[in-house]
Amino acid sequence: MKTTRLALAGGAVPLAVLGGTWALQAAWADRLPDVVAAHWGLTGPDRSAELSTMTGVTLGIGAVLTLVTLVTVLVSRLRGAVVPRSAVGFVAWLATLPAGVLAGSMYAALDATSWRDAGPAWSAVGWALGLSVAAGAAATLVAGPTERPAPAEPRDLPSAGLQPGERASWIGGGTNYPMAFGGLVAVLGYALLHVSIPGLGVMPFALAVLVVVLAMAAVCRVRVRVDTTGVTLSLGLFGFPNRTLTYDEIASANTEEMTMGSAGGYGLRRGVGYTAFKVRAGETLTITLNSGHVVKATVDHADRAAGLVNDLTGARDGA
Amino acid sequence: MLIRIDPASQAPLFEQVAASVRRGLSDGELTRGQQLPPAREVATSLDINVHTVLRAYGVLRDEGLIELRRRRGAVVTGAADTRARLNTLAGELVEEARRVGIGPDELTEIVKEKFA
């Protein structure tokens, strides 16, 4: 049932908007010039396009985006991934935006003898945004509430086997080595550029290298400490941003495998129901809070960290 | 790296910390070239004295499992895998000998016979 709703939201809704825009053009055919305004400057329309070409390009882009969206949503669903309704709404908005632009240009050109006589920009922009936002909202509604994965049974949760009276701490992390050495490669590339091209200015290359080095250093490593005070997570060589979770707010901990595309990239990622400290793909510590929010960190030997968190939280008491 | 201590145990705290590191080495959690957490951070997280952790690191250095470097701190050596496994097995052997009532001399004789 959920798959059908996602298919309708990701495929049927954008296709209906594309079809509706095409039908609108057919209905307005007698009132539209062959060439319509495609861009507005401060003084009015300043660029134009053949209506037939613009229709083909915008609806073609929309169709391709819809197809990509539909395949991505269905494959993610079949592979068991959680597909947030907000993500479906966003891609539906994106897929229908070109059709919205076409509808806006057509509306502005209604009953005009030349594209230069087209109506104001705000009406075209209003149509473009209104149509696509409405499509995104409709897709969000059709997709229905985001399904959350069922929480693990207490007996399934990992444990470090901590005995009463024992004290323990787990200190570990995960490193993205290509990223860690990426900054060094950027510096070497910059040095090579200077040697090979005499008279090359320092700026803006030095600034670009500095930005690359800082960016790599900021997200190449994640570090986690689990002890009796709580769980502390920090990102990068600077240890910022960081977050400390106390056991009052932790429900349980577990592990999962993140892919390169999970959470939409590397670094500190926020999404529906989760915050991820991600520096690589692979094994990941997942800490579920009492609020249902999940905090993730891509650390090595995540099962041991999760086990200690569960032992210190008492999450396995129900086992 | 998971470090666990039992303050009620008769084993000294520094030995318990060192045993945790040995276990991490034999389990593959710690590998060659890897840095151990700073002694101060371990001490804070376990609520023990930093000198206790430094003493544990000193024992591990004497066993050839780690190197103590000025800037990089405690780093696992290349020979650590083999030595840590031997240390763990020896610990289990001693435990078993105690359980069945065999003393150090008799156990040493058994080991020597095996070598012969």
Side-chain angles (χ1 to χ4, degrees), chain A residues 160-161 167 169 171 223 304, chain B residues 1 3-5 29 41 46:
Chain A
R167 272 187 247 158
S169 78
I171 300 169
R223 197 171 154 76
R304 299 184 188 195
Chain B
M1 180 182 66
I3 302 177
R4 49 203 293 175
I5 56 169
E29 190 176 2
E41 187 176 9
L46 291 169

Side-chain angles (χ1 to χ4, degrees), chain A residues 169-231:
Chain A
S169 78
W170 186 89
I171 300 169
T175 304
N176 185 323
Y177 289 101
M179 210 180 270
F181 290 105
L184 188 64
V185 171
V187 172
L188 288 175
Y190 174 66
L192 197 65
L193 205 64
H194 259 277
V195 170
S196 56
I197 306 176
L200 187 74
V202 173
M203 300 299 276
F205 303 105
L207 187 63
V209 169
L210 182 66
V211 169
V212 168
V213 169
L214 288 177
M216 297 290 182
V219 295
C220 71
R221 181 163 171 73
V222 62
R223 197 171 154 76
V224 173
R225 190 176 83 189
V226 181
D227 59 26
T228 51
T229 60
V231 182

Side-chain angles (χ1 to χ4, degrees), chain A residues 176 178-179 219-220 235 258-269 276-282 298:
Chain A
N176 185 323
M179 210 180 270
V219 295
C220 71
L235 191 66
M258 289 188 94
T259 63
M260 280 180 70
S262 303
Y266 291 167
L268 179 67
R269 315 298 302 184
F277 290 72
K278 185 184 171 192
V279 299
R280 57 157 174 72
T298 52

Side-chain angles (χ1 to χ4, degrees), chain A residues 50-130:
Chain A
E50 291 273 349
L51 179 58
S52 55
T53 306
M54 192 173 181
T55 304
V57 170
T58 52
L59 296 188
I61 290 172
V64 170
L65 287 176
T66 302
L67 186 66
V68 171
T69 298
L70 188 60
V71 171
T72 307
V73 165
L74 292 181
V75 168
S76 301
R77 171 72 180 164
L78 293 175
R79 291 175 72 176
V82 174
V83 183
R85 68 192 300 193
S86 56
V88 177
F90 175 76
V91 291
W93 167 77
L94 196 64
T96 54
L97 188 58
V101 170
L102 174 63
S105 284
M106 289 194 302
Y107 180 77
L110 273 181
D111 301 322
T113 53
S114 162
W115 65 271
R116 293 188 188 280
D117 300 328
W122 60 262
S123 63
V125 173
W127 265 86
L129 289 180

